Amino acid sequence: MVTVLGANSVTGGYEVENSWRNNSGSDARLSKTFSSVSNSNTTFTVSAWVKRSKLGANQDVVSAFRSSDGLQTDVIRFGSGDDLRFYAHGTNSSVNASIYTNRKFRDVGAWYHIVVRVDTTQGTAANRVKIYVNGVQETSFSGATYPPENGTIIWGLASGIEHTIGAVATSNYFGGYFAEVVYLDSQSVAPTSFGEFDGDSGIWKPIDVSGLTFGNNSFYLNFQTSAELGDDVSGNTNDFTENSIDATDQSTDTCTNNFATMNPLDNFYAGGTFAEGNLQVT
């Protein structure tokens, strides 16, 4: 079984206080349609800390969806085989990118830091989309189709593009936890803008991102306001709408305070049944 070591608790330094716990069975998601024009439709970065609690199903981390054309779906996704996938469509409705990792992500006790940076102005195809997990670039893919040079992508755009965290439109709901979700409009930046390796343990850990430059449609969700888990703290007021989410979905299980979690792949059973994020005793 192929897994990736996630972020365990690291004391000292920047502390992440809260996360959002998303139960895929409750159809919960955060959604936003921007009203302003993006700074760029060729360049952006998505960063998200996630902890999985459901495996073996298509689950979307962050997505963009054009309601007038159901084929227009841009997404960061865990596939049904637990690989990590990235899709991007162009503003002319063509499929511009489709990338699947060979690596599987099945550790439900770990926090994964995912960074996808896109810059279609790059002359080398493989430099137009770069995927990182816990500070390390993914380079082994079961399939990789890159966008054309200077190709325009619908991420970050207005005009009917719904951006969703924890789903795509109303499907492929994510089961697990989110912390420190950032979207940078018009910038392709390295994972070191969001995290660093701990000098003692070597564990990849988050850093304070509040000093980043946030373009028009950039956002930063830290989930610290329980009544408004979609609150954008970037200064842009790009708040997301909470759908089937309430204050009890705020959690203190974070990428700097990782709670112990049973892994159903270990086939451990002691008079209980597994549910997302917990072992429920029956």
Side-chain angles (χ1 to χ4, degrees):
M1 181 190 307
V2 180
T3 59
V4 177
L5 291 177
N8 296 314
S9 301
V10 180
T11 58
Y14 179 69
E15 297 291 330
V16 176
E17 296 181 10
N18 296 106
S19 65
W20 160 41
R21 180 187 60 204
N22 193 36
N23 186 340
S24 64
S26 67
D27 296 348
R29 70 192 191 283
L30 295 169
S31 59
K32 169 74 177 178
T33 299
F34 296 106
S35 58
S36 62
V37 177
S38 171
N39 290 119
S40 170
N41 56 1
T42 63
T43 309
F44 63 86
T45 305
V46 178
S47 167
W49 289 83
V50 300
K51 182 178 180 179
R52 306 190 69 193
S53 57
K54 180 180 179 180
L55 304 176
N58 288 331
Q59 297 178 80
D60 293 345
V61 179
V62 181
S63 69
F65 177 78
R66 193 199 305 271
S67 58
S68 61
D69 181 357
L71 295 177
Q72 287 284 77
T73 303
D74 295 9
V75 66
I76 300 169
R77 170 180 296 166
F78 286 108
S80 59
D82 299 315
D83 56 345
L84 185 62
R85 303 179 177 186
F86 174 76
Y87 301 95
H89 290 67
T91 55
N92 61 356
S93 299
S94 63
V95 177
N96 280 352
S98 177
I99 302 170
Y100 301 1
T101 67
N102 276 314
R103 193 184 302 242
K104 310 298 184 182
F105 300 87
R106 292 173 172 155
D107 189 348
V108 297
W111 278 90
Y112 295 112
H113 180 223
I114 299 169
V115 172
V116 175
R117 54 188 301 197
V118 174
D119 182 359
T120 68
T121 67
Q122 295 293 315
T124 301
N127 289 337
R128 295 172 199 154
V129 178
K130 295 182 179 181
I131 301 172
Y132 304 81
V133 178
N134 294 345
V136 178
Q137 185 175 357
E138 294 292 313
T139 57
S140 178
F141 302 109
S142 60
T145 300
Y146 294 95
E149 188 171 0
N150 297 314
T152 56
I153 298 174
I154 68 172
W155 287 71
L157 300 184
S159 302
I161 309 299
E162 181 181 77
H163 294 74
T164 307
I165 302 171
V168 57
T170 57
S171 64
N172 292 350
Y173 292 97
F174 181 86
Y177 298 79
F178 288 88
E180 299 283 291
V181 178
V182 177
Y183 173 78
L184 294 180
D185 182 11
S186 77
Q187 299 177 69
S188 172
V189 302
T192 49
S193 293
F194 311 99
E196 63 184 5
F197 289 103
D198 183 74
D200 295 324
S201 66
I203 292 172
W204 182 255
K205 64 181 183 180
I207 61 175
D208 186 357
V209 300
S210 60
L212 293 175
T213 300
F214 295 96
N216 286 359
N217 290 341
S218 300
F219 58 81
Y220 168 28
L221 308 184
N222 64 4
F223 310 111
Q224 289 189 15
T225 304
S226 61
E228 297 179 352
L229 288 172
D231 188 29
D232 170 32
V233 296
S234 72
N236 286 342
T237 321
N238 285 323
D239 296 342
F240 278 64
T241 299
E242 297 89 5
N243 302 274
S244 301
I245 297 170
D246 58 37
T248 61
D249 293 313
Q250 186 187 60
S251 175
T252 54
D253 184 346
T254 75
C255 42
T256 57
N257 184 33
N258 190 14
F259 291 7
T261 306
M262 300 277 189
N263 191 331
L265 294 179
D266 291 335
N267 295 319
F268 176 85
Y269 181 83
T273 59
F274 282 103
E276 291 180 18
N278 296 283
L279 176 67
Q280 295 181 331
V281 177
T282 57

